[in-house]
Structures are given as C-alpha cells and as structure tokens.
Amino acid sequence: MSKEAEAIRVDKELDLSNAGRGVWLVKVPKYIANKWEKAPGNIEVGKLKISKQVGQKAQVSLTLSDAVINIDPAEEIPRDHRLDVSVVTKQTLGVFSHAVTTTRDDPVPECEKQYMEGRIVQKLECRPYADHCYMKMKLESIRKASQPARQVKSLEKIVHNYKPVSDHKHNIEDRERKKAEGKKSRDDKNAVLDMLFNAFEKHQYYNIKDLVRITRQPISYLKEILKEVCDYNMKNPHKNMWELKKEYRHYKEDDKKDDDTTKDTMSDSDSD
C-alpha cells in the first residue's frame, strides 16, 4: 500500500443530513446515456419541463441541449422526450455518494466519507416521441444489427498465410497401421502356434511387436493365442515381454548342464 493511501483517514459514519430530501430516479435510453458520458462536465446537457393542470397528473418532458446533440453530429438522436412518472410506495430506495476531501496546500487526499443524498420518491422513464428522427435512428440501428459479422471480400493478390495442420503425421500413420491390421486375415490357430514355437526356438523372450511381425496376424487375435501358451513378464529384466509357459518350453535343465560342461571342457583344453 502506498503512503498516500495510508494517509487517507476513513470516516465510517454515514452523513444523513440529506436523508429527508426526495429525489427522482430517471431511466434514460442508451443513446442518451452514451451522449452524456462523452459530454464534458461544464456544459448543460438538457432541460426538464414540468406542467400540471388541475385534476391531472403532472406532465414531465426532457429537451436535450444543442451541446449534447452536436457531440457527434453524424449520430442523430431525438431532442425531445417525455418522462413517464410512477410513485415509489412499497420500496425504500436511496441515493448515496462518496467523496474524498483535500486541502489547497496539499493535493494528497485527507479524508474519505460517504453521504446519503436523498430518498427516491419517484421513478421516471424517459421515452422518445415517435417522430421522423426517432424512426430514422431505429432504422439505422436495425440495419447495423442485420449486417453479418463476417463478409466475403475479393482479393486482388495472393495472401501468404500458414494454415494449421489438419492432421498430424503420427495420427495418419496410426490410422493406416490399424487399417492394415484390420485387413490381415487370421491364419489357422495351429499354423500360428507353429510359427510361435519356431520363433521361441531361436529366442526365449519376444515383445508383441516382433511377434506380430513374425506371424503377420492381427494383434488381438495373436494375444488370444499367446495367453494360452505364453506368460507375460511384468517385472525386470524382461518386463513387457512374452515367454513360453513351462509346459511348452522345449529346452531342459539337463541341456543347460551339458552346455555348461562342454564350455568347461573347452576352456580346459584352451588352457593346455
């Protein structure tokens, strides 16, 4: 927090000196509100006229000033409006303001305070007269609203821009692979088993990609057969690889011992 903000003293008491004053709540069309927002603070924005006849309700009208009308001459708006009055009876509404005071010698804000400016006693709704100016303004607003947000334009020269890739290479390859696998015909189960056993005679462990390449079978069909004759390793050092079940393995422990004996004999002969 800045030092200036820390220096502000906040008066938490609400000033109710104007609580008994009656005020009007006026609703104006958007085009009038836009004009008033653009208007500087030192000009007259309009005049209210109140006329009352005996036995009738008061008639209230609003006439915008020339200064407001000429803020944007290209945007023509109605000058004269009537205000429909309704009395507030079942609600308690108020108008509040917020002010920060300063001194002449020091522009840094000193005190922050809230005020009640009055109690709303009447609601007024500002409505334009259906004259030529209003009809012209409404017609222009309807025309602007009907214009499409996107328009077709003819180009005089080639526009060089980079379009986003509609489909990536790996997605295309994946679809082609799945399509090719779907077209693979399923061979007889015994024929597939023969290919698997022949493969496992060469190596003890295979991953699924190599087995698909060797057998040329759909992966779902191949897995069904593998689950019958093979075990899937879930742990290292042969994780995610297939191995023949014990009852289907063609190598034996005796063969391994003979191989080890042969290796020892060969090493002894080499030493001689």
Side-chain angles (χ1 to χ4, degrees):
M1 184 179 292
S2 63
K3 294 182 179 179
E4 293 183 0
E6 292 177 355
I8 298 177
R9 180 175 60 85
V10 180
D11 189 348
K12 295 183 179 180
E13 292 186 1
L14 179 64
D15 190 329
L16 300 174
S17 58
N18 294 325
R21 181 171 62 179
V23 296
W24 291 358
L25 176 63
V26 183
K27 181 180 179 181
V28 299
K30 189 175 181 179
Y31 60 85
I32 294 181
N34 292 337
K35 290 279 189 179
W36 284 353
E37 286 181 358
K38 296 177 184 178
N42 57 350
I43 68 170
E44 179 185 284
V45 295
K47 290 184 178 181
L48 281 176
K49 181 180 179 181
I50 303 174
S51 59
K52 186 175 182 181
Q53 297 180 0
V54 179
Q56 296 182 358
K57 292 183 178 180
Q59 302 293 323
V60 185
S61 62
L62 170 66
T63 302
L64 298 178
S65 65
D66 292 336
V68 170
I69 295 294
N70 295 326
I71 287 178
D72 189 0
E75 183 183 355
E76 296 183 8
I77 63 173
R79 182 185 297 271
D80 298 318
H81 300 75
R82 73 176 189 276
L83 280 81
D84 296 337
V85 183
S86 60
V87 180
V88 179
T89 56
K90 297 182 180 180
Q91 288 181 306
T92 302
L93 303 175
V95 178
F96 300 87
S97 64
H98 171 269
V100 178
T101 58
T102 59
T103 59
R104 294 181 180 179
D105 299 333
D106 189 1
V108 177
E110 290 184 349
C111 182
E112 180 180 349
K113 191 172 180 61
Q114 291 183 341
Y115 302 86
M116 184 174 183
E117 300 295 344
R119 181 174 56 87
I120 295 173
V121 294
Q122 290 189 129
K123 290 183 179 181
L124 293 90
E125 188 164 354
C126 183
R127 299 180 183 274
Y129 295 102
D131 55 7
H132 175 72
C133 181
Y134 176 73
M135 293 300 178
K136 183 179 179 181
M137 183 189 69
K138 291 300 294 182
L139 183 64
E140 181 65 18
S141 63
I142 293 172
R143 185 189 64 81
K144 289 181 179 179
S146 62
Q147 289 180 350
R150 297 181 178 180
Q151 298 180 354
V152 178
K153 294 183 179 180
S154 59
L155 302 176
E156 298 179 356
K157 57 182 180 179
I158 299 174
V159 177
H160 296 282
N161 57 356
Y162 298 93
K163 297 181 179 179
V165 178
S166 59
D167 203 352
H168 294 279
K169 182 180 179 182
H170 63 273
N171 291 333
I172 298 173
E173 292 177 349
D174 188 56
R175 282 199 302 271
E176 290 178 351
R177 178 182 60 79
K178 291 181 179 179
K179 188 176 179 181
E181 289 179 357
K183 289 183 177 180
K184 290 179 181 177
S185 60
R186 294 188 176 189
D187 292 339
D188 182 69
K189 183 178 179 180
N190 292 328
V192 178
L193 287 171
D194 290 339
M195 287 187 284
L196 290 174
F197 289 138
N198 290 333
F200 280 106
E201 286 180 0
K202 300 176 182 177
H203 299 285
Q204 185 177 355
Y205 302 98
Y206 284 94
N207 58 36
I208 190 65
K209 291 183 179 180
D210 291 334
L211 293 175
V212 169
R213 177 178 53 80
I214 293 169
T215 60
R216 298 183 179 275
Q217 299 299 304
I219 189 169
S220 58
Y221 176 58
L222 181 59
K223 283 185 176 181
E224 292 177 4
I225 299 175
L226 286 172
K227 289 177 182 178
E228 295 181 9
V229 298
C230 293
D231 291 327
Y232 185 70
N233 290 286
M234 302 294 292
K235 297 180 180 179
N236 291 325
H238 303 292
K239 187 177 180 180
N240 301 332
M241 300 190 77
W242 294 88
E243 178 188 13
L244 284 175
K245 292 182 177 180
K246 292 182 179 180
E247 58 267 29
Y248 294 106
R249 295 174 188 172
H250 59 273
Y251 46 83
K252 299 179 181 179
E253 294 296 330
D254 295 339
D255 296 339
K256 289 184 177 180
K257 290 180 181 180
D258 293 340
D259 292 342
D260 295 339
T261 304
T262 304
K263 288 181 181 179
D264 293 340
T265 304
M266 290 178 64
S267 60
D268 293 339
S269 61
D270 291 340
S271 60
D272 294 340

